């Protein structure tokens, strides 16, 4: 394993596959990175691992990368992996490298592809969706430097078998499957193209399975139905590797009358170069690495799967569509892109999450006009994003708006929002422990819980219970009352202690929210005064004061603030002499003379403490 200063050069030096047609294309001008330039940028940023030793694509490749998602490695430490020496289970060597994790192994990699800072990803997406740019049609393109079509696809190593498509879940999957495969099709009625990510089972050198996952609103299925009604096959093109702006857009959920290549242009800030396919009437990205052209049969379906799915279970065999391949075109130095999916977190879930969360936020704030919504977070580990949604709202958001936000989040996707939880800004939506904490203490399930009936069960194993119809659970776990502070040291003390921790060379800290205490509204000036005295060592003053507040007409655990709220004077200080002189009453009103005596005594005590000698600091801890 090593790092390559120029990963794309390794691919370029390898011999190209046999071909029917080879052309020398002049690369059209562009203002966005292609995949090769993106990989080089990742390498320069220290985000790429290049592996030159032989790696079996059927048994080793995906399991190796999988470890960074299931091995306790924090998201920021994940990398992209470039495999330059790929073989299959029979020892066949491929001349096309495979890259995994190059688009969304972590947010930093995603931001490199987006060309913006991590904190600007959301607004960059919103701008792109609202400002699409028409593509630029070219006649000569890198993706057609090598063209194999017709009967030549049946020659050994010339068809789909020429591509190093990995097995994603060895031991369960029944074949290699394309994973980050953008299927492009055209609406037979409107002519509008759609681009979405669907898996493709390798079935023969000229046949590729296709599962549109109907519960996820696939545009290609609408096209398939319309073509079927017309008695036509559906033309399709499958992209295996393309510029990041195109790949990111293919994972986005957009209206079915929106051409994703236009939004990709908005994301790139300039038109995406496209070229017409060789055997089907479709436009594909000119800088695509590999393009599989063909027609999806609309008369027949055939078994597809088993395949490990993103809901965390193996998807068992179903009848699904298949594509008859008519051509394969590619760059001379093509790099095949694969993606880690299955159990989340994964590259598949992160590439969708970073794109979908801004869509949810825009839907609630702009489309529905809900005030107070700050953020929408999709829970990733194991649940695969759509099942658990967290809506973060500001503290002063009216209850009616909180519920509108919960309803709106549950309704955006047909299969999204099995559990939708509203929390305030102090709760980290990515911390499941914090969510349970908020639900445990800020939600009264007799009042703050609703169940929506008649929901689609969505992506996952299907159950016949309730005729296959599911429900959504909505929980308002926001603060409805002022609460006491979080029981952790205030921020300044934790930050000071952190500096000492680092000075002592102790293990690196990974702060988890909440890591310092803060007020939730129920904190009086009197409480603050006592706390400030305590850290200065003046707590004996408080001890004397509270000794003067003794009474025998209350029960254990009676809260002081409740007695103060009903007009009691327990907040006043009373000297022992004054306490003897006063007549015990239910209200506990203190005579004026007693108050004067108390103030004088308190001032004298506080002065005495301040003039006392300071406490010597503790000895410094020494470490070897």
């Amino acid at each position: 394993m090593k790092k390559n200063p120029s990963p794309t050069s390794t691919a370029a030096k390898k011999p190209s596959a046999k071909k029917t047609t080879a052309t020398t294309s002049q690369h059209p001008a562009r203002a966005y990175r292609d995949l090769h330039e993106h990989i080089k940028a990742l390498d320069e940023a220290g985000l790429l691992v290049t592996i030159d030793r032989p790696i079996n694509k059927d048994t080793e490749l995906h399991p190796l990368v999988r470890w960074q998602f299931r091995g306790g490695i924090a998201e920021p430490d994940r990398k992209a992996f470039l495999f330059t020496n790929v073989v299959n289970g029979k020892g066949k060597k491929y001349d096309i490298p495979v890259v995994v994790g190059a688009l969304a192994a972590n947010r930093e990699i995603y931001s490199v592809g987006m060309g913006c800072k991590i904190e600007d990803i959301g607004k960059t997406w919103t701008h792109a969706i609202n400002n699409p740019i028409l593509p630029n049609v070219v006649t000569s393109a890198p993706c057609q430097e090598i063209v194999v079509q017709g009967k030549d696809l049946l020659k050994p190593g010339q068809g789909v078998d020429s591509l190093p498509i990995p097995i994603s879940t060895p031991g369960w999957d029944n074949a290699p499957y394309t994973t980050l495969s953008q299927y492009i099709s055209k609406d037979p009625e409107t002519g509008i193209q759609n681009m979405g990510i669907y898996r493709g089972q390798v079935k023969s050198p000229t046949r590729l399975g296709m599962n549109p996952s109907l519960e996820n609103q696939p545009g290609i299925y609408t096209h398939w139905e319309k073509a079927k009604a017309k008695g036509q096959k559906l033309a399709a093109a499958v992209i295996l590797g393309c510029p990041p702006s195109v790949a990111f857009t293919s994972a986005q959920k957009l209206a079915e009358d929106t051409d994703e290549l236009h939004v990709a242009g908005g994301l790139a800030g300039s038109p995406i170069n496209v070229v017409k396919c060789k055997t089907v009437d479709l436009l594909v990205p000119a800088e695509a690495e590999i393009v599989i052209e063909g027609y999806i049969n609309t008369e027949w379906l055939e078994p597809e799967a088993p395949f490990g799915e993103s809901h965390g279970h193996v998807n068992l065999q179903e009848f699904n569509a298949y594509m008859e391949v008519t051509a394969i075109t590619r760059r001379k130095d093509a790099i095949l892109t694969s993606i880690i999916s299955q159990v989340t977190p994964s590259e598949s879930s992160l590439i969708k999450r970073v794109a979908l969360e801004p869509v949810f936020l825009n839907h609630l704030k702009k489309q529905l006009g809900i005030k107070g919504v700050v953020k929408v977070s999709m829970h990733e580990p194991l649940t695969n994003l759509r099942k658990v949604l967290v809506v973060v709202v500001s503290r002063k958001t009216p209850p009616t708006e909180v519920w509108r936000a919960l309803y709106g989040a549950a309704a955006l996707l047909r299969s999204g929002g099995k559990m939708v939880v509203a929390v305030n800004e102090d709760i980290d939506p990515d911390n499941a422990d914090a969510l349970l904490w908020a639900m445990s203490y800020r939600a009264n399930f007799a009042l703050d819980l609703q169940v929506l009936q008649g929901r689609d069960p969505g992506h996952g194993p299907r159950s016949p219970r309730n005729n296959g119809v599911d429900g959504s659970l909505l929980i308002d776990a926001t603060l409805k009352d002022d609460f006491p502070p979080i029981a952790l040291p205030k921020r300044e003390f934790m930050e000071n202690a952190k500096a000492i921790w680092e000075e002592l060379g102790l293990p690196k800290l990974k702060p988890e929210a909440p890591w310092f205490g803060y007020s939730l509204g129920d904190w009086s000036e009197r409480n603050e005064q006592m706390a400030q005295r305590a850290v200065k060592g003046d707590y004996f003053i408080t001890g004397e004061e509270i000794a003067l507040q003794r009474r025998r007409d209350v029960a254990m655990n009676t809260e002081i603030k409740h007695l103060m709220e009903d007009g009691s004077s327990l907040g006043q200080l009373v000297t022992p002499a004054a306490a003897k002189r006063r007549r015990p009453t239910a209200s506990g009103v203190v005579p004026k003379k007693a108050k004067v005596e108390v103030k004088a005594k308190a001032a004298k005590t506080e002065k005495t403490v301040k003039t006392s000698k300071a406490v010597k600091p503790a000895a410094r801890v020494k470490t070897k």
Side-chain angles (χ1 to χ4, degrees):
M1 182 186 301
K2 70 177 185 179
K3 293 192 66 183
N4 247 344
S6 180
T8 54
S9 63
T10 303
K13 291 178 182 178
K14 292 182 178 294
S16 59
K18 294 180 181 178
K19 54 187 179 294
T20 300
T21 306
T23 60
T24 302
S25 66
Q26 179 133 12
H27 292 194
R30 53 186 164 81
Y32 52 88
R33 285 176 177 166
D34 67 2
L35 180 64
H36 293 250
E37 292 163 339
H38 172 65
I39 291 175
K40 183 178 180 181
L42 295 181
D43 191 40
E44 291 172 348
L47 295 169
L48 179 73
V49 175
T50 299
I51 298 179
D52 294 327
R53 60 152 285 186
I55 293 291
N56 188 330
K57 75 176 185 64
D58 296 330
T59 62
E60 298 172 338
L61 196 150
H62 267 241
L64 180 66
V65 183
R66 173 80 57 190
W67 268 117
Q68 72 174 345
F69 295 95
R70 304 307 304 167
I73 295 175
E75 183 205 292
D77 297 327
R78 299 177 198 157
K79 308 287 185 182
F81 282 71
L82 179 68
F83 298 91
T84 64
N85 191 349
V86 181
V87 299
N88 69 5
K90 294 185 176 181
K92 174 185 175 179
K93 187 173 182 178
Y94 295 84
D95 66 340
I96 300 175
V98 176
V99 69
V100 186
L103 292 168
N106 65 22
R107 281 173 175 77
E108 186 178 357
I109 290 174
Y110 191 100
S111 72
V112 170
M114 290 280 285
C116 68
K117 296 178 180 178
I118 293 175
E119 57 268 27
D120 293 335
I121 289 175
K123 66 181 182 182
T124 301
W125 263 118
T126 300
H127 181 270
I129 293 171
N130 294 328
N131 298 275
I133 298 176
L134 296 176
N136 175 44
V137 181
V138 300
T139 56
S140 180
C143 70
Q144 294 176 347
E145 289 176 334
I146 296 175
V147 178
V148 181
Q149 57 186 335
K151 293 182 181 179
D152 288 315
L153 291 166
L154 296 173
K155 295 178 180 178
Q158 291 279 70
V160 178
D161 55 330
S162 67
L163 307 176
I165 300 168
I167 291 180
S168 295
T169 328
W172 306 111
D173 295 356
N174 64 343
Y177 282 74
T178 63
T179 49
L180 188 67
S181 37
Q182 290 86 17
Y183 278 74
I184 294 178
S185 59
K186 182 190 296 184
D187 189 310
E189 296 176 356
T190 67
I192 298 175
Q193 288 195 170
N194 175 270
M195 177 174 63
I197 298 176
Y198 314 111
R199 70 179 187 237
Q201 179 184 342
V202 176
K203 294 184 172 182
S204 84
T206 57
R207 201 162 96 261
L208 198 65
M210 196 277 289
N211 182 349
S213 296
L214 302 185
E215 65 276 3
N216 290 336
Q217 300 166 252
I220 197 170
Y221 181 67
T222 302
H223 296 178
W224 185 86
E225 284 191 310
K226 289 181 179 181
K228 180 180 175 68
K230 292 176 176 288
Q232 304 171 348
K233 292 181 179 181
L234 179 66
V238 181
I239 313 302
L240 302 178
C242 58
S245 56
V246 176
F248 292 152
T249 308
S250 67
Q252 183 65 274
K253 290 297 179 184
L254 303 171
E256 291 190 5
D257 60 353
T258 300
D259 189 328
E260 281 79 3
L261 287 173
H262 297 192
V263 177
L267 199 62
S270 66
I272 299 297
N273 293 324
V274 295
V275 67
K276 187 177 179 180
C277 288
K278 294 293 184 180
T279 59
V280 294
D281 186 20
L282 293 170
L283 295 173
V284 296
E287 290 81 24
E289 300 293 314
I290 301 164
V291 180
I292 302 176
E293 303 177 6
Y295 291 89
I296 297 176
N297 194 298
T298 57
E299 181 182 5
W300 297 94
L301 300 176
E302 62 184 27
E304 184 259 0
F307 177 78
E309 262 290 5
S310 57
H311 48 64
H313 302 270
V314 171
N315 189 180
L316 301 179
Q317 273 199 321
E318 301 171 339
F319 277 96
N320 275 309
Y322 61 93
M323 187 172 91
E324 295 154 333
V325 178
T326 55
I328 297 176
T329 73
R330 69 178 180 91
R331 300 173 61 137
K332 291 179 179 178
D333 57 354
I335 299 175
L336 187 143
T337 305
S338 186
I339 196 169
I340 291 288
S341 185
Q342 291 75 47
V343 171
T344 56
S346 67
E347 186 183 7
S348 175
S349 61
L350 195 144
I351 196 174
K352 294 171 186 173
R353 179 183 181 184
V354 177
L356 276 173
E357 287 179 342
V359 171
F360 270 95
L361 185 61
N362 186 69
H363 171 67
L364 297 182
K365 293 185 70 173
K366 304 295 184 181
Q367 302 299 321
L368 299 183
I370 300 173
K371 306 296 183 183
V373 178
V374 176
K375 178 181 179 180
V376 177
S377 178
M378 307 178 78
H379 187 261
E380 192 175 5
L382 299 180
T383 57
N384 187 27
L385 301 178
R386 299 177 184 88
K387 293 297 185 183
V388 182
L389 306 177
V390 183
V391 181
V392 181
V393 299
S394 60
R395 176 72 193 279
K396 300 301 181 182
T397 304
T400 52
E401 291 296 272
V402 173
W403 282 107
R404 276 218 308 143
L406 290 169
Y407 297 143
L412 180 59
L413 297 180
R414 183 175 71 186
S415 60
K418 181 161 185 166
M419 288 173 276
V420 189
V421 185
V423 298
N424 293 124
E425 294 169 273
D426 68 305
I427 297 298
D428 179 3
D430 291 326
N431 187 329
D433 296 333
L435 290 178
L436 290 172
W437 181 44
M439 288 188 280
S440 297
Y441 294 101
R442 302 183 184 187
N444 180 339
F445 289 160
L447 303 172
D448 303 321
L449 181 151
Q450 291 188 29
V451 177
L452 300 183
Q453 303 290 344
R455 297 305 310 278
D456 190 295
H459 198 42
R462 297 167 188 168
S463 170
R465 299 176 64 203
N466 198 32
N467 297 316
V469 179
D470 209 338
S472 286
L473 180 66
L474 311 184
I475 302 173
D476 178 0
T478 62
L479 283 164
K480 288 85 177 174
D481 308 290
D482 287 341
F483 271 22
I486 302 302
L488 289 167
K490 277 190 176 180
R491 184 171 194 146
E492 60 264 35
F493 304 111
M494 288 298 289
E495 288 179 339
N496 179 64
K498 183 173 183 288
I500 298 173
W501 178 283
E502 292 169 349
E503 176 190 329
L504 296 174
L506 296 172
K508 185 177 180 180
L509 296 172
K510 297 178 180 179
E512 297 180 358
W515 55 267
F516 62 89
Y518 49 90
S519 174
L520 294 174
D522 188 0
W523 188 245
S524 67
E525 291 183 12
R526 175 72 181 144
N527 287 334
E528 181 64 18
Q529 181 187 43
M530 291 190 291
Q532 289 300 322
R533 283 179 185 163
V535 296
K536 294 176 183 177
D538 295 344
Y539 38 82
F540 285 163
I541 297 175
T542 300
E544 290 196 29
E545 289 179 356
I546 62 179
L548 301 176
Q549 296 175 336
R550 294 173 185 163
R551 58 189 297 169
R552 55 191 177 190
D553 58 340
V554 295
M556 277 273 195
N557 287 167
T558 299
E559 290 193 47
I560 300 292
K561 68 174 183 177
H562 290 165
L563 293 178
M564 293 177 69
E565 287 169 0
D566 66 12
S568 171
S569 62
L570 281 178
Q572 305 290 345
L573 299 180
V574 187
T575 66
K580 290 179 181 178
R581 289 198 300 272
R582 82 175 186 173
R583 178 179 292 175
T585 63
S587 64
V589 176
V590 181
K592 196 170 186 180
K593 184 177 179 182
K595 295 180 183 178
V596 174
E597 293 175 2
V598 167
K599 288 181 180 178
K601 183 174 178 61
K604 182 179 179 182
T605 307
E606 190 155 2
K607 184 177 180 182
T608 302
V609 174
K610 285 183 177 179
T611 57
S612 63
K613 291 183 179 180
V615 178
K616 291 183 179 180
R620 178 179 296 275
V621 178
K622 293 183 179 180
T623 57
K624 292 184 179 180

